[in-house]
Amino acid sequence: MRLANVWNLGIKELRGLLRDPILLILIVYSFSLSIYTSAKAMPETLNKAAIAIVDEDGSQLSARIAGAFYPPYFTAPNMISTAEMDARMDAGLETFALTIPADFQRDLLAGRQPVIQLNVDATRMTQAFTGTGYVQSIVTYEVNEFLSRHRDAPQMPADLVLRARFNPNLSQSWFGAISDVITSITMLGIVLTGAALIREREYGTVEHLLVMPVTATEIMVAKIWSMGAVVLLASALAIWVVVEGLLAVPIPGSLPLFIFGTALQLYAITALGIFLATVAGSMPQFGLLLVLVFLPMQVLSGTMTPRESMPEVIQTIMLAAPNTHFAILAQAILFRGAGLSVVWPQLLALAGIGTGLFAFALFRFRAFLR
């Protein structure tokens, strides 16, 4: 294999990428706006949930309950009538509608157990799931305070001291931003190499390559290093500009170590992209293969949900996928500040899996060129 051929062929791939505006837009979006929106769009904590209250009691206790809902968890409650409630929820104006019945305070003081009705718009899944517990806790707390005639912290038999490590503010944006960087690296690594090979077929330049004094290995290595370099540069800029800059997410670990791990991940995943491109006959077929391969790999890798929550057989099977080891490595470095002494097994696994995928893809690529 001649390095001059590999270099020149790689430069040719970069020039071809520069002439493809759709892929350029995808790269910029994946490592900028996609990361920012993933960090900001779907907070796990309740934020500005719309609530309405039907106060049929008009008592001191019902006023206290209504006054307990305030920003940032809820918007200021809208005081409505029973006749308005269904229409407003049908129109999607409120996520929660709390109905306090008549004589609620009197029945409570008399030792009875009055019932408060909470209507929830379950189509707003995240707010509905989280906010129901918030509403129940607020109502229970206000009722207990009213009955005890004083505001006091509940007495617990044991004192629980919470120390949140690595994310002391429990900010969901920290996790969302870094997780999207990991996802974008894997997705773009497959897409760019696969598209580069399919572009050769669609433009008819594969025949030109076959009559040139270059080998299949040189062609494949050129596609891998050029497209991998683009993703590697874009991911480094995304962490520096978007994650650390715009989102102000602190990175406790070593960025050079993460970049090295990313290079090994791209070594494996770009080879997989070339293999998929040799199987697919066109770009639409490649897109279908990408969905069938990328989504299961990403969902079961531990990026979105912990691997420990999956069946053991799935955990064992997914050890053959590079995503699994890359997710463990990236989360350890970027979240917990792990060093080489912690992540070296994942680095070795990525190198081994990448070499296997490279050899398999090269065998298929040689058959593709014949």
Side-chain angles (χ1 to χ4, degrees):
M1 184 173 64
R2 287 163 292 185
L3 295 181
N5 287 345
V6 173
W7 173 260
N8 291 327
L9 288 171
I11 296 299
K12 177 187 74 69
E13 297 296 337
L14 294 176
R15 289 173 178 169
L17 178 62
L18 290 175
R19 291 192 294 268
D20 194 331
I22 300 300
L23 285 180
L24 292 177
I25 292 173
L26 178 62
I27 294 171
V28 173
Y29 170 78
S30 298
F31 287 104
S32 57
L33 188 60
S34 176
I35 297 172
Y36 188 85
T37 53
S38 295
K40 296 292 186 180
M42 293 183 63
E44 292 181 352
T45 55
L46 197 66
N47 184 49
K48 295 183 179 179
I51 185 171
I53 296 179
V54 180
D55 187 3
E56 297 179 344
D57 190 27
S59 62
Q60 179 184 359
L61 177 57
S62 64
R64 287 186 53 162
I65 293 175
F69 297 96
Y70 48 81
Y73 301 112
F74 296 90
T75 59
N78 294 315
M79 307 305 294
I80 62 176
S81 64
T82 306
E84 297 176 288
M85 182 178 65
D86 288 342
R88 292 181 66 87
M89 294 202 73
D90 289 343
L93 298 178
E94 275 94 25
T95 305
F96 304 98
L98 186 68
T99 302
I100 304 176
D103 300 326
F104 174 73
Q105 177 177 312
R106 187 180 66 180
D107 292 343
L108 195 67
L109 294 175
R112 304 184 186 94
Q113 291 184 338
V115 176
I116 293 181
Q117 183 185 68
L118 177 64
N119 296 277
V120 183
D121 182 359
T123 59
R124 300 180 179 182
M125 186 178 65
T126 304
Q127 285 191 341
F129 181 78
T130 307
T132 301
Y134 277 67
V135 174
Q136 184 176 7
S137 298
I138 290 172
V139 172
T140 301
Y141 186 73
E142 293 298 328
V143 168
N144 289 337
E145 276 193 349
F146 180 79
L147 293 177
S148 62
R149 305 290 184 180
H150 67 281
R151 188 178 294 272
D152 193 10
Q155 296 296 322
M156 302 293 292
D159 189 15
L160 179 65
V161 179
L162 176 63
R163 295 179 180 176
R165 299 188 62 186
F166 315 121
N167 188 358
N169 294 327
L170 302 179
S171 174
Q172 189 269 348
S173 63
W174 291 21
F175 179 81
I178 294 176
S179 296
D180 200 72
V181 171
I182 298 172
T183 301
S184 297
I185 288 171
T186 303
M187 181 187 71
L188 267 298
I190 298 176
V191 170
L192 293 184
T193 49
L197 181 55
I198 293 177
R199 187 166 54 235
E200 300 274 15
R201 174 186 290 172
E202 292 178 344
Y203 292 168
T205 54
V206 173
E207 290 78 8
H208 297 169
L209 293 175
L210 293 177
V211 298
M212 293 176 63
V214 294
T215 64
T217 304
E218 292 171 350
I219 298 173
M220 182 170 163
V221 171
K223 294 183 183 299
I224 287 177
W225 84 254
S226 57
M227 298 299 103
V230 171
V231 178
L232 196 65
L233 178 61
S235 60
L237 290 175
I239 291 178
W240 179 43
V241 177
V242 181
V243 178
E244 289 189 305
L246 294 178
L247 297 172
V249 178
I251 303 296
S254 169
L255 284 181
L257 182 60
F258 172 72
I259 295 299
F260 177 67
T262 302
L264 290 178
Q265 165 72 353
L266 290 170
Y267 169 53
I269 215 70
T270 50
L272 178 61
I274 288 180
F275 168 75
L276 294 179
T278 60
V279 175
S282 61
M283 201 63 189
Q285 292 181 9
F286 177 73
L288 292 176
L289 282 176
L290 179 64
V291 172
L292 293 176
V293 174
F294 171 72
L295 287 182
M297 286 177 57
Q298 196 64 19
V299 171
L300 301 176
S301 66
T303 304
M304 300 180 180
T305 57
R307 296 185 69 247
E308 293 76 12
S309 63
M310 304 176 190
E312 291 187 5
V313 63
I314 297 297
Q315 297 183 40
T316 303
I317 292 174
M318 288 306 297
L319 290 176
N323 296 47
T324 302
H325 304 281
F326 182 59
I328 296 173
L329 175 146
Q331 291 174 356
I333 295 174
L334 300 180
F335 288 153
R336 298 183 289 275
L340 182 61
S341 61
V342 175
V343 300
W344 67 266
Q346 284 72 45
L347 294 174
L348 289 180
L350 284 173
I353 295 172
T355 301
L357 286 173
F358 181 87
F360 184 66
L362 181 60
F363 173 78
R364 175 69 189 180
F365 185 60
R366 284 172 173 165
F368 170 79
L369 291 178
R370 291 193 185 102

